[in-house]
Amino acid sequence: MHMTFYWGKKVTILFDSWRTNSWVGYLLSLIALFAVAAFYQYMEDRRVRFKIIARSKPSPAPGIGAPFLLPVAASRLGPPARFASAILFGVNSAIGYLLMLAIMSFNAGVFIAVVVGLAVGYLLFRSGGEEDLVVLENACACA
């Protein structure tokens, strides 16, 4: 077991049964890890959007479609929405921890595939800035 980064096609990823001994198997494994890392960002985007939608309420003024996104207690969410949010959080956490464990193989190619997959997933799914949208009732916004 390696304790420092190394390059090479022979790597065990997550399970004893997921071993690569050829360049083809190694490249397919890197592609799979890249896809899972991008999917992690997609799932995080879905979770954040679900939370925004579940917490938003209609705007009192007609024609204004911006959600009201001040910090509110989680108890405002109904039980089905809270349950669904918890499920999404659990799935996303599991994927994130599995990616972390894959990186702990200390193979530099695995590390690069996961990091690039996370970056590309962020670019594709989360760089729009929707989760940064905050609408305040205070016009001054100095408080």
Side-chain angles (χ1 to χ4, degrees), residues 1 12 21 24 47 76 78 83 92 100 123-124 135:
M1 180 174 175
T12 302
N21 293 316
V24 173
R47 186 182 69 80
R76 288 196 61 208
F83 183 73
N92 208 36
M100 178 201 61
L123 177 68
L124 294 176
V135 179

Side-chain angles (χ1 to χ4, degrees), residues 43-64:
M43 289 296 292
E44 183 66 17
D45 177 64
R46 296 294 100 188
R47 186 182 69 80
V48 168
R49 287 178 185 266
F50 179 77
K51 194 172 187 180
I52 288 172
I53 290 169
R55 285 191 174 180
S56 67
K57 62 181 182 181
S59 177
I64 300 175

Side-chain angles (χ1 to χ4, degrees), residues 63-101:
I64 300 175
F68 183 72
L69 296 176
L70 290 176
V72 292
S75 62
R76 288 196 61 208
L77 298 177
R82 289 176 64 195
F83 183 73
S85 181
I87 293 294
L88 283 173
F89 178 80
V91 168
N92 208 36
S93 294
I95 294 170
Y97 281 119
L98 288 173
L99 288 171
M100 178 201 61
L101 289 172

Side-chain angles (χ1 to χ4, degrees), residues 9-24:
K9 65 180 179 182
K10 293 186 178 186
V11 62
T12 302
I13 303 170
L14 297 178
F15 310 106
D16 285 333
S17 60
W18 189 357
R19 292 179 190 232
T20 61
N21 293 316
S22 67
W23 285 109
V24 173

